[in-house]
Amino acid sequence: MKFAVEDPVPFRYSALRAGFQLVTERSLETNTLYDTSDRQLRAKKQILRLREYNGHHVLTHKRTAAPSELDARFKTRVETETMLEDSEAMAEVFLQLGYGPVFRYEKFRTEFSSGAGHLVLDETPIGVWAELEGAPEWIDAMLERLQVGREQCSTDSYGKLFERWKTETGSDALNLTFEEVQAEVLVP
């Protein structure tokens, strides 16, 4: 569950007052999605991603959860992740298997945890967003604790948010990167 954040500095304090503990300090995160040229993974609502942040390299595959696992108010995905030593080598494997880079996005991410779930604060080229990950009842409780109304929330991916932003602004950027969007990086 995502929601827009007006100013990341006071929001960090709100998160700490709400009982969250800082897990990862603000760090640049770069993400590359891979797919076939005819977007077979997208058609199956799957994502294959390489992520780099804070010296870590992560391979992620996401897919839609089984219908019995879904709560219509929340975005539910099954994620399989593993840490990598060399994301460039993995990218080469993807290319050899027919998966090429189709979308890049970046953000400055700060991670928090409450034990029962996670809160991330993402400073993207198109705005600042917070995202809660956990059980639906925990998310509802945290939204209330953070004083965020359900009407402020979205289950859209950064890709969808980017497409909406492009339509609203007329931008011809292909990727959600600070350089392509020509966005200034906020100073923490």
Side-chain angles (χ1 to χ4, degrees):
M1 186 70 64
K2 284 185 182 72
F3 52 93
V5 171
E6 195 170 313
D7 187 338
V9 175
F11 184 81
R12 283 178 58 111
Y13 292 115
S14 295
L16 295 171
R17 280 193 308 274
F20 286 94
Q21 302 294 318
L22 181 65
V23 175
T24 306
E25 278 289 350
R26 180 181 187 265
S27 60
L28 179 64
E29 177 185 289
T30 61
N31 299 273
T32 305
L33 300 184
Y34 289 80
D35 204 339
T36 58
S37 58
D38 58 354
R39 305 299 293 264
Q40 291 177 20
L41 292 176
R42 184 177 188 175
K44 295 188 285 188
K45 297 186 178 186
Q46 295 184 22
I47 292 172
L48 184 59
R49 177 183 68 205
L50 288 178
R51 170 177 282 169
E52 295 183 34
Y53 72 98
N54 209 21
H56 301 285
H57 305 273
V58 182
L59 166 62
T60 305
H61 174 259
K62 292 185 183 186
R63 62 181 171 81
T64 305
S68 64
E69 301 172 33
L70 297 177
D71 181 331
R73 295 179 308 132
F74 299 93
K75 184 175 185 177
T76 305
R77 305 283 292 212
V78 177
E79 290 188 24
T80 306
E81 286 191 332
T82 190
M83 299 297 282
L84 298 172
E85 273 188 44
D86 186 344
S87 60
E88 288 182 22
M90 191 76 246
E92 179 61 25
V93 170
F94 288 165
L95 289 172
Q96 295 304 315
L97 294 174
Y99 296 100
V102 294
F103 181 61
R104 292 182 306 114
Y105 62 104
E106 56 190 19
K107 55 196 171 192
F108 284 91
R109 174 168 272 189
T110 307
E111 295 178 292
F112 302 88
S113 179
S114 75
H118 288 87
L119 167 68
V120 295
L121 180 62
D122 290 337
E123 300 166 50
T124 78
I126 59 170
V128 181
W129 296 86
E131 185 172 358
L132 291 165
E133 294 182 355
E137 57 278 356
W138 177 85
I139 291 173
D140 285 335
M142 291 303 104
L143 287 171
E144 187 174 319
R145 189 177 287 175
L146 293 166
Q147 300 178 339
V148 176
R150 296 266 315 127
E151 70 282 356
Q152 296 171 259
C153 297
S154 173
T155 58
D156 287 346
S157 67
Y158 283 117
K160 283 185 182 178
L161 293 171
F162 179 57
E163 290 301 320
R164 185 178 310 130
W165 175 84
K166 284 177 49 166
T167 299
E168 291 169 359
T169 64
S171 173
D172 60 356
L174 298 176
N175 295 287
L176 181 54
T177 64
F178 289 96
E179 181 179 349
E180 283 191 51
V181 171
Q182 298 178 354
E184 291 185 31
V185 175
L186 298 173
V187 177

